[in-house]
Amino acid sequence: MSSHPTATEAPSARKAMTLHRLREMRAQGEKITMLTCYDASFARLLDSCELDCLLVGDSLGMVLQGQSSTVPVTLDEMAYHTRCVARGNRHAWLLSDLPFGSYQESLDQCLRSSVALMQAGAQMIKLEGGGWTTEAVHFLTQRGIPVCAHLGLTPQSVHALGGYRVQGRDADGAATLRQHARELSDAGATMLVLELVPTALAAEITEANPQLITVGIGAGNVTAAQVLVLHDMLGITAGKLPRFVRNFMHGASIEQAVRLFVSEVKSGRFPDNAVHGF
């Protein structure tokens, strides 16, 4: 069954998001919105709801493929979904995840994988972890590739971390996260996802690194931006949702749910630290 072509959309007065504009929003205290996206249809819808950023996440392995983790996702799969999202997107800033095994081997491998995603339509790549990744971040940014880092619960390392648990609760863990955030910022990272991190620690990292656009998921409402997995916030993920997720679909259409997410993040009403934070 084929789909009928849609009529040509009227030109939008909205300008395409840029890294410069995202930095301005961070400096001015304007909350930045982000959701994961994996196909052209949802990209068009999310873009029409004026999402600031779309993330082609390796979470697609779990929410689309039914995998138990993000580890099995391949670079070819990430490039395919990035191309799909890029076709549907017009204005949002587009990030794409480097999947497990596509950047750990060497700097040359990291560059090749990043180039593949950029050529597929990504405007920024995201990689997980601190410490050893600092060199990779510097290597990429020196070659004109914007980088979003990712600390806290890093799903590609879930087995090493002992499961999906809050990171940085003890003094040593918190100190390591602070150090890694500073090193990643110094290496040239522009964005930093903080996942499953205590709210107070996320606030410290955000305040101590004003040049970093911190992106919270399970890190309270103190970060510069908020991200959720699309299928989680629409309530269509099987099983129990994480504490930091809010189902925006209650009594709403998908478009209304996304617009509510944007409104609630911009206003600071979501996440609620008492309900969604740690």
Side-chain angles (χ1 to χ4, degrees):
M1 181 182 294
S2 62
S3 174
H4 294 292
T6 58
T8 302
E9 296 181 2
S12 171
R14 183 186 175 200
K15 294 182 179 179
M17 185 60 68
T18 65
L19 206 50
H20 177 71
R21 175 59 185 143
L22 289 170
R23 289 192 178 105
E24 283 185 337
M25 293 169 71
R26 159 64 156 120
Q28 295 165 2
E30 180 181 348
K31 292 292 188 180
I32 297 166
T33 57
M34 183 188 301
L35 288 171
T36 64
C37 187
Y38 315 104
D39 62 54
S41 294
F42 265 113
R44 280 190 290 269
L45 175 63
L46 300 186
D47 186 40
S48 73
C49 294
E50 301 194 1
L51 258 290
D52 297 315
C53 305
L54 300 180
L55 168 63
V56 185
D58 57 4
S59 50
L60 67 88
M62 302 174 76
V63 299
L64 297 187
Q65 300 175 344
Q67 307 279 5
S68 60
S69 75
T70 63
V71 172
V73 177
T74 68
L75 180 63
D76 285 344
E77 289 168 343
M78 289 303 305
Y80 167 80
H81 286 280
T82 299
R83 285 192 293 272
C84 291
V85 172
R87 293 187 192 109
N89 179 46
R90 294 294 180 272
H91 307 96
W93 183 253
L94 181 55
L95 303 82
S96 187
D97 271 334
L98 285 173
F100 180 74
S102 70
Y103 60 100
Q104 289 89 344
E105 181 181 319
S106 67
L107 294 177
D108 286 344
Q109 183 206 31
C110 183
L111 177 60
R112 287 194 302 271
S113 299
S114 299
V115 167
L117 296 183
M118 297 289 283
Q119 291 180 335
Q123 295 166 295
M124 172 180 274
I125 65 94
K126 184 170 79 66
L127 50 75
E128 293 185 5
W132 70 272
T133 60
T134 302
E135 186 180 7
V137 170
H138 183 262
F139 188 80
L140 293 176
T141 55
Q142 288 295 301
R143 286 155 179 78
I145 297 177
V147 176
C148 175
H150 186 153
L151 294 175
L153 188 282
T154 46
Q156 293 175 12
S157 306
V158 65
H159 301 306
L161 294 173
Y164 295 93
R165 302 190 302 176
V166 178
Q167 304 296 306
R169 282 196 186 275
D170 58 42
D172 288 344
T176 297
L177 288 177
R178 291 190 200 96
Q179 177 183 343
H180 285 172
R182 183 173 61 254
E183 291 171 349
L184 289 164
S185 177
D186 291 344
T190 304
M191 283 187 172
L192 173 64
V193 171
L194 295 171
E195 181 168 0
L196 274 183
V197 171
T199 302
L201 178 58
E204 288 181 41
I205 292 173
T206 298
E207 184 176 353
N209 300 278
Q211 64 276 39
L212 273 178
I213 301 169
T214 53
V215 185
I217 176 167
N221 67 2
V222 295
T223 52
Q226 292 292 329
V227 65
L228 285 177
V229 171
L230 176 65
H231 291 59
D232 288 352
M233 62 83 66
L234 293 179
I236 54 177
T237 300
K240 183 180 179 181
L241 290 174
R243 171 176 165 178
F244 57 78
V245 172
R246 173 177 161 188
N247 181 356
F248 286 83
M249 269 292 283
H250 289 306
S253 68
I254 291 177
E255 180 176 354
Q256 289 170 330
V258 175
R259 291 191 182 278
L260 180 59
F261 169 79
V262 172
S263 173
E264 295 287 272
V265 170
K266 293 289 186 183
S267 68
R269 290 189 295 268
F270 176 82
D272 181 338
N273 289 343
V275 177
H276 307 107
F278 297 90

